[in-house]
Amino acid sequence: MKMIVAIVQDKDSNRLSSALVKANFRATKLASTGGFLRAGNTTFMIGVNDDQVSTVLNVIRNNCKVRDQLVTPVTPLSGTTDSYMPLPVEVQVGGATVFVMPVDRFEQF
């Protein structure tokens, strides 16, 4: 058995949740916050048998898309801010960060 932990952008959360239900996979959704952009994320925890891992990964891959987003860098903490002019920078966001971990024991009460 495996535990799949998938961290996805909030924009992809509802689509992924619906796709998992349609494919008969149960998932626990947790609200989370990303460290880089400090943006909202959703963390999915999905317990599956070993032979179902590739199917779940395909569902995640097909429903979580990478997109470009303009962000304005934060003001520097040190030094003078008189000459600092933050310009928007384009970065890639979205997609999914996925961890697949072995489960030593599973019980349901």
Side-chain angles (χ1 to χ4, degrees):
M1 181 165 226
K2 302 288 187 206
M3 171 66 70
I4 299 173
V5 177
I7 304 162
V8 304
Q9 194 175 35
D10 279 343
K11 291 180 181 179
D12 297 325
S13 174
N14 288 335
R15 184 174 47 249
L16 177 58
S17 182
S18 296
L20 288 168
V21 168
K22 187 176 179 180
N24 294 317
F25 292 109
R26 297 184 202 177
T28 298
K29 288 173 54 172
L30 304 170
S32 54
T33 303
F36 177 62
L37 297 176
R38 302 207 189 327
N41 293 326
T42 302
T43 300
F44 287 84
M45 295 177 18
I46 310 155
V48 296
N49 292 321
D50 290 356
D51 61 330
Q52 297 173 311
V53 170
S54 61
T55 305
V56 172
L57 293 178
N58 284 330
V59 171
I60 295 169
R61 186 178 295 111
N62 292 332
N63 289 280
C64 300
K65 303 299 179 195
V66 175
R67 57 187 68 82
D68 293 328
Q69 178 177 323
L70 288 175
V71 296
T72 303
V74 295
T75 307
L77 296 176
S78 62
T80 178
T81 59
D82 295 336
S83 63
Y84 180 72
M85 298 188 70
L87 296 174
V89 178
E90 190 171 66
V91 296
Q92 284 190 336
V93 296
T97 301
V98 181
F99 301 91
V100 179
M101 301 170 283
V103 174
D104 291 332
R105 183 174 171 175
F106 169 76
E107 294 188 30
Q108 191 171 9
F109 301 107

